[in-house]
Amino acid sequence: MRRSLRVVCRDSLAATPTAAVAKKRAVNDVKVEVKEEATAVTKPRSSSSKRIKKEPIPSPDKEGTTPEPPALASKKASKKELEKAAQLDTYLSFIHTRREQTGDSNKLVGAHVSGASGLENAVFNAAKIGARAFAFFTRSQRTWTCKPLTPDTIAAFHAAMKRFGYAPGDVVPHGSYLLNCGSPDAGVLQKSRDGLLDEVRRCEALGLSLYNFHPGATKNEISVDECLDLIAESIEQTLRQTTGVTILVENMSNQGSTIGGPFTHLRGIIDRVSEEHRHRVGVCLDTCHAFAAGWDLRDDA
């Protein structure tokens, strides 16, 4: 008996559907067409079909020239802005009165004020208490990295200084508490030097002539002389890259391994700075630190 094997191709079945399959497909095709047609009918109009109201174009006058549109009304100041303006006027009157009372005295009494939410606020806060001089932080005193000053911030500070009559020498910005320009740790030393340079450059941008900072500490890992060398080198590097700002080394309270308790430390730092830049180094005398270090300032002698 002869046997045969039939091979059925799936493509051939798909190409020649049975009558039932063809009928089912026809029904499905009708459903699809109806659905698509219904969708087309209910589809919302595109945004391009919306009518756009056109503004009337000014017509030329008798002389043939087209008139300009009316100027936009200036934005009215908010209640909060008006209140702040009134406050600043009060501060301005107050600081003028204080200057009249103190006259030409070279003793400018002030305080450390906040410059939060805008460095110009340091000027406002100083005038608010009638301060003839003030200190503030030009950046966060507890972080290594800070955003640079923007042109708007610098302009606002300059405007506030001019309005309230403060001179550059009336302001003594204080350095970050993180700085240790005599650190035995190479990483901390470099970050401190970068921070010192950044803060002095901020003083330059703000038009200020003084800058005060805590010199550093030995951390009980190096000698005092080695620490003084590092501090002087840090100051020297900054002075080479800046102009117009005098760096004030603050005396300290003689606590722990800090440098600056004995006044001989301050003398040692200044003597180590080159003669070329030494005229831009000074001292900030902190009376509280001096008292804690053993200098009884209550004694007239």
Side-chain angles (χ1 to χ4, degrees):
M1 180 182 293
R2 186 177 179 181
R3 296 181 178 180
S4 63
L5 178 64
R6 297 180 63 186
V7 178
V8 180
C9 178
R10 294 182 181 274
D11 290 340
S12 64
L13 285 177
T16 57
T18 62
V21 173
K23 183 177 180 181
K24 184 176 181 180
R25 285 189 177 179
V27 173
N28 289 339
D29 291 342
V30 172
K31 289 182 179 179
V32 171
E33 290 175 0
V34 172
K35 185 176 181 180
E36 289 179 352
E37 184 178 357
T39 303
V41 172
T42 58
K43 185 177 180 181
R45 292 187 300 175
S46 63
S47 58
S48 60
S49 63
K50 295 181 180 179
R51 294 183 179 180
I52 301 175
K53 184 178 179 181
K54 296 182 179 180
E55 297 293 336
I57 301 175
S59 57
D61 55 18
K62 294 180 180 180
E63 297 179 359
T65 59
T66 303
E68 295 181 357
L72 296 176
S74 59
K75 182 181 178 181
K76 293 183 178 180
S78 66
K79 182 179 179 181
K80 186 176 182 180
E81 291 173 336
L82 292 174
E83 290 177 350
K84 184 175 182 179
Q87 281 184 340
L88 295 182
D89 288 340
T90 302
Y91 301 163
L92 185 61
S93 176
F94 189 32
I95 191 63
H96 283 171
T97 301
R98 182 58 59 88
R99 289 193 176 105
E100 291 175 356
Q101 292 172 345
T102 55
D104 297 330
S105 174
N106 59 1
K107 295 180 180 179
L108 306 181
V109 179
H112 190 117
V113 295
S114 172
S117 302
L119 295 184
E120 69 276 9
N121 288 328
V123 183
F124 302 154
N125 290 329
K128 180 180 179 180
I129 61 175
R132 293 289 307 276
F134 66 92
F136 74 110
F137 294 114
T138 62
R139 50 180 262 182
S140 173
Q141 75 277 22
R142 299 190 182 279
T143 58
W144 285 111
T145 57
C146 297
K147 294 181 180 179
L149 296 178
T150 64
D152 289 343
T153 297
I154 296 171
F157 185 85
H158 281 292
M161 288 282 288
K162 182 178 180 180
R163 180 180 181 185
F164 288 90
Y166 287 105
D170 298 341
V171 186
V172 185
H174 197 291
S176 168
Y177 292 133
L178 295 178
L179 302 184
N180 182 1
C181 291
S183 175
D185 183 288
V188 173
L189 178 62
Q190 187 57 53
K191 287 193 291 186
S192 298
R193 288 177 171 177
D194 292 342
L196 180 66
L197 177 59
D198 176 68
E199 293 187 1
V200 173
R201 281 178 170 169
R202 286 170 183 260
C203 293
E204 280 185 319
L206 296 173
L208 304 177
S209 58
L210 300 172
Y211 168 79
N212 167 52
F213 81 115
H214 296 176
T218 66
K219 295 296 183 180
N220 296 319
E221 296 179 20
I222 56 177
S223 68
V224 170
D225 284 337
E226 289 174 322
C227 193
L228 296 179
D229 289 339
L230 293 174
I231 295 170
E233 289 173 7
S234 301
I235 294 174
E236 184 82 30
Q237 289 179 12
T238 295
L239 293 177
R240 287 199 204 104
Q241 301 177 69
T242 58
T243 58
V245 179
T246 296
I247 296 179
L248 305 178
V249 185
E250 184 175 334
N251 65 303
M252 300 304 292
S253 58
N254 213 25
Q255 301 296 311
S257 64
T258 57
I259 293 294
F263 291 145
T264 53
H265 288 179
L266 306 181
R267 178 78 269 171
I269 293 172
I270 296 174
D271 287 345
R272 284 169 167 79
V273 177
S274 68
E275 292 185 5
E276 179 183 358
H277 298 112
R278 194 176 299 162
H279 67 284
R280 290 176 56 201
V281 183
V283 171
C284 172
L285 178 63
D286 186 309
T287 55
C288 181
H289 287 170
F291 188 83
W295 300 95
D296 192 349
L297 303 179
R298 298 171 299 180
D299 189 349
D300 294 337

